[in-house]
Amino acid sequence: VQLQASGGGLVQPGGSLRLSCTASGSTLGRYAVAWFRQAPGKERGGVTCLSTRDGPYYVDSVKGRFTISRDSADNTVYLQMNSLRPEDTAVYYCAAGAIGSVCGKAYYSRHHYRSWGQGTQVTVSS
């Protein structure tokens, strides 16, 4: 499966953005799909994950602010980000696991996923 991430941009603190991860070559519903982010000088870390059999899971820092969802008709997974903070500034990546995969307890690990989108920049600043 090939993934294309989009929707990033510059937003003020407290604002919202919606990221999109559109798939081609296969149906996203067959995979666990996650969003990761990487801030300058930091490692890429998992933010959220959703599959047809488990999830969604969220890291504590985004619980109550971020929502992952899937639109089967568009073969797209979305990340709605509300109440954004400067510390949310990062390049955001979407990722998919193997066919039939679930998120599981290791959803936040890069090694759990096989396909990656190219990343989209999110900057939260006044």
Side-chain angles (χ1 to χ4, degrees), residues 64-75:
R65 301 188 298 122
F66 290 13
T67 303
I68 187 171
S69 61
R70 186 197 313 271
D71 186 328
S72 298
D74 291 340
N75 208 23

Side-chain angles (χ1 to χ4, degrees), residues 72-93:
S72 298
D74 291 340
N75 208 23
T76 298
V77 168
Y78 299 100
L79 181 64
Q80 178 66 43
M81 305 186 295
N82 299 328
S83 302
L84 283 162
R85 305 167 180 169
E87 54 264 38
D88 295 317
T89 295
V91 178
Y92 283 71
Y93 300 86

Side-chain angles (χ1 to χ4, degrees), residues 2 4-5 15 41 58-59 70 75 83 85 94 96 102-103 124:
Q2 292 78 47
Q4 177 79 27
Y58 300 95
V59 294
R70 186 197 313 271
N75 208 23
S83 302
R85 305 167 180 169
C94 58
V102 297
C103 298
V124 185

Side-chain angles (χ1 to χ4, degrees), residues 19-50:
L19 305 184
S20 300
C21 177
T22 301
S24 60
S26 188
T27 302
L28 264 186
R30 305 173 71 186
Y31 307 84
V33 180
W35 285 95
F36 281 69
R37 65 185 179 184
Q38 187 168 17
K42 295 187 177 181
E43 293 188 356
R44 190 176 303 185
V47 175
T48 179
C49 181
L50 178 66

Side-chain angles (χ1 to χ4, degrees), residues 36 44-47 49 59 103-113:
F36 281 69
R44 190 176 303 185
V47 175
C49 181
V59 294
C103 298
K105 295 182 178 180
Y107 76 92
Y108 51 84
S109 171
R110 295 181 59 179
H111 305 292
H112 193 57
Y113 302 92

